[in-house]
Structure formats: C-alpha cells, structure tokens
Amino acid sequence: MPELPEVEVVRAGLQPAVTDALVTGVEIFDERSLRRHAPAAGSFAERLVGRRILAAVRRGKFLWLPLDSGRAVVIHLGMSGQVLLRAPGAAPDRMLRIRLTLEHPTHGELWVNFVDQRIFGSMAVDTMGPTADGFSGGYSATSEADAAWQHRIPSQVAHIARDPIDPSFSASAFFAALARKKTGIKRALLDQNLISGIGNIYADEALFAARIHYEQPAASLSHAKATTLLAAVRTILQRALAEGGTSFDAQYVNVNGQSGYFAHSLEAYGRQGTPCSRCGTLLVREQFMNRGSHFCPRCQRLR
C-alpha cells in the first residue's frame, strides 16, 4: 500500500496542475470508486462541476483537494490507486475509474485520471471542519498560510493523526502516547490514530535503523530510544521522498506515471536471507499481522 512518501509525491505533482483550476467535467467509469462518497451529500459530479480547486493537501496517506465551496475532494489510493495527469484526448489509461476535466488559468485544459486496479481506493466530496488543534489540516506547498481552508480538514480524515514530517506534529505528545502503549512498537507505528503515514516498509526500515525489535513493547522504550526512533522515521521518509518513493511494480507511480527508486536503498524490507549491512548476520522475515517483518536478529534483539 502506498505510504506517506508515495502519496506526497502525488500531492507535489498535483499541486501546480490543479491549484486555481476550474472543474469543468466529471466522468464516472466505475461507481465502486465512489464507495466513500455519501450520496446524501449530493451527486459527486454535481458537487464538483463549476467549482475551483484551491490546493492539494496531504495528511499521512490521505490526500484532498479543497474547493471554493468549502468542501473537499478526498482521494485515498488504497492498495493500487493512481492519480495521473493527462492531456485531453490522450489514450485512455487501463482501469480508469474516474476522470476530472480541469481548466487551469495558466496550463489550460487537462485531465486528472483516477486509475485503480484493485478498486480499494476512492474519491469522495466531503465536508470540512476545523482542525482539533487549530493548526493547518495537512501539508501543502501553497503560500496562502492564512487561507480559511488551511485550518480545516475533511471529516473522513479528521481522525487521522499528524505525520512525523508535518510542521505541526508534536514529538512530546507522540512520546507520551508511546509510553502508554502496551503493544509492540511496530503495531504502534502502524496505528494511524497515533502517528500517520507509516506502513510496513518504512516501519521495518526505521526500526532497523534504530536497532529496535518490532515486538519490543512501545511503553518499554526509553525517552532516548524513542527519540532515536522518531529521528530514524523522519530520515527514512525524507530519503524516500527525495527518491520519489518506493516502487516495486508499475502500481506505485507519480502523476506522470514514473516510478520511485527508494527500493534500491532499502536496508531491511524484502532483504531476508541477505547479510545485515552492519554485522553481517542474515536478515530474517517473520509473519506479522498478515504481512511480514524484516529485521536483523542480532542488531534488533528483543530486550
């Protein structure tokens, strides 16, 4: 599933193309990709056509496009969703589910294609409410720091915690929450109500970098160790962003259909049976929550 770096790459690609663009058309090719849109709120197309997009915003793995109506288009990529920018008249993308036609004041007309192989992703027009802490709803590169929509968040995203590269993320609150967690530290990192944007890949990489076993009880971490872990999470996420995210196949691409290259930099995830880069011990993979955990049994001992 796409994690924070992959979704941020999509957001950054969308930002210049959709900001200030007018939605002039909506085509629905598969109603299943609207499963999170509430019909009671009105037709998806009717809520969009004639509205102007104000920015592209992200919190954790969620992406949304605030509208001049006070609502927002919420985009969740699920396991295989893609948001692709296309010139009008381009050959249709395979597994195209939804298409938005935009008119941008500078770039002219363009298509925003939502493509999804497994149809676990979705688009929805959602209501917006004030953020619980009064800070901006999520990350956006816009210069409109005081715009009203900046301090609002879609109802479908309001329960999601801030991510570790969000300027408003509270490290002290995160450490306090960890101290109350009796679960293993990897489960805590995957809890999107505690810290968002981290999935299986980057959890394994951060725990490897911090030399922490994935089943180490979160509450047992010292403040120093928790600080080391948070620093590792941020470093890994920033490195992955710089390399365009992690792509193992054609599903994980940016808005231009290009793959990321962080898969070549992975130290633990998917490297079971190869030597640890620190001590030479063979890395192992153990079953974890219907997935797998990859770690070094020597460097990351359960203490």
Side-chain angles (χ1 to χ4, degrees), residues 140-191:
S140 174
T142 180
S143 59
E144 298 182 77
D146 296 324
W149 59 263
Q150 283 276 44
H151 303 279
R152 301 180 71 78
I153 189 167
S155 67
Q156 295 183 18
V157 191
H159 68 288
I160 300 296
R162 292 191 178 276
D163 62 67
I165 63 175
D166 186 321
S168 299
F169 178 85
S170 172
S172 60
F174 172 65
F175 295 147
L178 276 190
R180 297 190 295 269
K181 280 280 186 181
K182 305 303 181 185
T183 62
I185 184 58
K186 183 171 178 179
R187 285 180 182 267
L189 290 178
L190 297 180
D191 183 352

Side-chain angles (χ1 to χ4, degrees), residues 57-284:
V57 191
R58 179 198 52 75
R59 178 182 287 204
K61 305 173 189 179
F62 279 84
L63 173 68
W64 69 90
L65 311 176
L67 304 169
D68 62 359
S69 64
R71 297 175 183 266
V73 183
V74 178
I75 304 170
H76 195 277
L77 300 180
M79 296 186 70
S80 58
Q82 300 173 351
V83 183
L84 304 172
L85 296 176
R86 297 290 189 240
D93 293 294
R94 291 181 65 247
M95 291 166 280
L96 174 62
R97 309 302 179 186
I98 301 171
R99 173 185 289 143
L100 308 183
T101 300
L102 308 183
E103 184 66 38
H104 192 277
T106 302
H107 309 303
E109 190 176 71
L110 60 90
W111 285 347
V112 176
N113 286 354
F114 183 70
V115 173
D116 194 1
Q117 177 179 335
R118 301 186 185 182
I119 320 183
F120 292 143
S122 66
M123 297 181 79
V125 177
D126 193 16
T127 56
M128 298 265 280
T131 57
D133 55 15
F135 296 117
S136 62
Y139 180 77
S140 174
T142 180
S143 59
E144 298 182 77
D146 296 324
W149 59 263
Q150 283 276 44
H151 303 279
R152 301 180 71 78
I153 189 167
S155 67
Q156 295 183 18
V157 191
H159 68 288
I160 300 296
R162 292 191 178 276
D163 62 67
I165 63 175
D166 186 321
S168 299
F169 178 85
S170 172
S172 60
F174 172 65
F175 295 147
L178 276 190
R180 297 190 295 269
K181 280 280 186 181
K182 305 303 181 185
T183 62
I185 184 58
K186 183 171 178 179
R187 285 180 182 267
L189 290 178
L190 297 180
D191 183 352
Q192 302 300 295
N193 296 314
L194 174 67
I195 183 171
S196 67
I198 305 170
N200 207 41
I201 296 174
Y202 299 116
D204 280 0
E205 290 298 300
L207 291 169
F208 176 82
R211 304 189 183 206
I212 301 172
H213 192 281
Y214 70 95
E215 289 285 17
Q216 188 71 37
S220 73
L221 296 183
S222 66
H223 181 74
K225 201 64 173 175
T227 300
T228 297
L229 175 59
L230 179 57
V233 167
R234 285 172 164 160
T235 297
I236 294 227
L237 292 177
Q238 293 288 5
R239 284 176 53 207
L241 271 172
E243 297 189 37
T246 301
S247 298
F248 293 110
D249 54 37
Q251 290 182 359
Y252 304 122
V253 296
N254 64 18
V255 295
N256 298 313
Q258 298 168 326
S259 298
Y261 295 97
F262 192 67
H264 303 293
S265 303
L266 296 174
E267 294 269 23
Y269 184 86
R271 296 196 65 244
Q272 64 270 22
T274 65
C276 170
S277 59
R278 285 190 296 251
C279 70
T281 302
L282 295 185
L283 301 178
V284 298

